[in-house]
Amino acid sequence: MIDSPSARGGRQLLESLERSGVTHLARPVESVVLQPKDSEMPIAGGDDPPGGAGGLEEMARSVAACQRCQELAETRTQTVFGVGDPDAKILFVGEAPGADEDRLGEPFVGRAGKLLDKIITACGLQREQIYICNILKCRPPGNRNPSPEEAGNCREFLDAQITAVAPEYIVCWGSVAAKNLLDSTETIGRLRRKFFEYGAAKVLCTYHPSYLLRNPSAKKDVWEDMQMLFADMGVTLTGNQ
Ligand code: URA
């Protein structure tokens, strides 16, 4: 049997879930072929949708020069705009860059990012198939939570990313992402396990990978959330109860 990176990553996540006490899981398919977004179905005479890679690159340049939050602009190494497929069907939103992201200019590349990559792989996808960004594009000093003012200043950029990518699904990783995007005061525990709407996208909220690093037993909850997301997309995550 070929031990593909996808299969290996999935097995590692499953082993790690097992160590956290999860004994019954749906088995992810080895490779998931995402259907094109509905908006990409060929329309006779239709024009390309606005945004796309060009629009995002231009936006990233404006963000790189942003001075709206003085403290963040003074302390950042660089802004961290977003990465991934500009036509992604799924968009991930995290909280804000940490030290590794600030250094490398890419979201989710530190320890939490490595775990996120494992979750993506366990779902049969590759990181490049998703668009990944954060509520804030600058690292808050000491990794403190973004202030409401900072999140407000950055919101225009997040909304522009969502408009450009036009995802069918948005996953909010952690309470900062979920509460900010949905303008909610509910806990992440209460925001999980249901779909919200944000524009044309369905939004699912789940625990942040950093939380999973501290609380491995919550991995099973995140896995259930992923199952819910994929089930809604009609993608088969076959059960092996
Ligand atoms: N945590 C986040 O929320 N975003 C990142 O980019 C990295 C860690």
Side-chain angles (χ1 to χ4, degrees):
M1 195 175 79
I2 297 168
D3 195 18
S4 67
S6 165
R8 209 162 39 242
R11 199 179 55 236
Q12 281 165 359
L13 181 72
L14 292 173
E15 282 166 5
S16 133
L17 289 169
E18 225 166 61
R19 282 195 298 277
S20 318
V22 181
T23 52
H24 293 88
L25 277 185
R27 177 168 49 84
V29 289
E30 295 239 327
S31 145
V32 174
V33 179
L34 287 182
Q35 296 300 313
K37 295 192 288 193
D38 290 345
S39 59
E40 286 165 2
M41 296 310 260
I43 303 167
D47 291 331
D48 282 347
L56 287 168
E57 279 163 23
E58 199 180 313
M59 235 181 275
R61 280 193 291 277
S62 325
V63 168
C66 180
Q67 298 289 326
R68 288 180 189 179
C69 309
Q70 196 190 353
E71 186 190 17
L72 303 189
E74 282 173 2
T75 54
R76 73 187 177 215
T77 305
Q78 58 191 314
T79 53
V80 179
F81 183 66
V83 287
D85 182 355
D87 285 320
K89 184 165 178 162
I90 308 171
L91 182 145
F92 283 180
V93 185
E95 179 177 328
D100 294 310
E101 291 77 19
D102 175 70
R103 188 167 48 84
L104 296 170
E106 184 170 332
F108 283 104
V109 288
R111 276 186 75 220
K114 299 280 173 276
L115 179 53
L116 186 67
D117 287 348
K118 283 187 187 174
I119 296 169
I120 293 170
T121 307
C123 292
L125 293 179
Q126 291 169 0
R127 184 176 163 98
E128 298 71 32
Q129 291 176 277
I130 292 164
Y131 189 83
I132 307 177
C133 58
N134 283 306
I135 294 290
L136 286 196
K137 313 306 182 209
C138 296
R139 180 191 183 203
N143 295 344
R144 62 164 171 73
N145 279 354
S147 72
E149 191 191 347
E150 290 163 349
N153 286 344
C154 228
R155 185 53 174 259
E156 188 188 338
F157 303 131
L158 175 64
D159 280 337
Q161 286 172 303
I162 294 173
T163 302
V165 176
E168 285 179 23
Y169 294 90
I170 297 175
V171 179
C172 291
W173 293 90
S175 78
V176 170
K179 288 177 176 182
N180 271 288
L181 187 84
L182 299 173
D183 193 21
S184 170
T185 53
E186 292 280 17
T187 63
I188 186 68
R190 291 183 65 87
L191 292 171
R192 286 182 56 238
R193 305 175 64 83
K194 44 183 168 278
F195 285 108
F196 295 87
E197 279 178 11
Y198 192 74
K202 287 184 174 181
V203 180
L204 189 72
C205 304
T206 192
Y207 295 120
H208 194 283
S210 298
Y211 176 79
L212 299 184
L213 290 171
R214 297 189 304 271
N215 301 278
S217 64
K219 286 179 185 171
K220 66 177 186 326
D221 299 319
V222 170
W223 186 245
E224 279 168 19
D225 295 336
M226 293 301 107
Q227 286 179 298
M228 186 175 157
L229 173 72
F230 278 76
D232 198 76
M233 284 189 277
V235 174
T236 321
L237 292 176
T238 50
N240 66 343
Q241 310 291 318

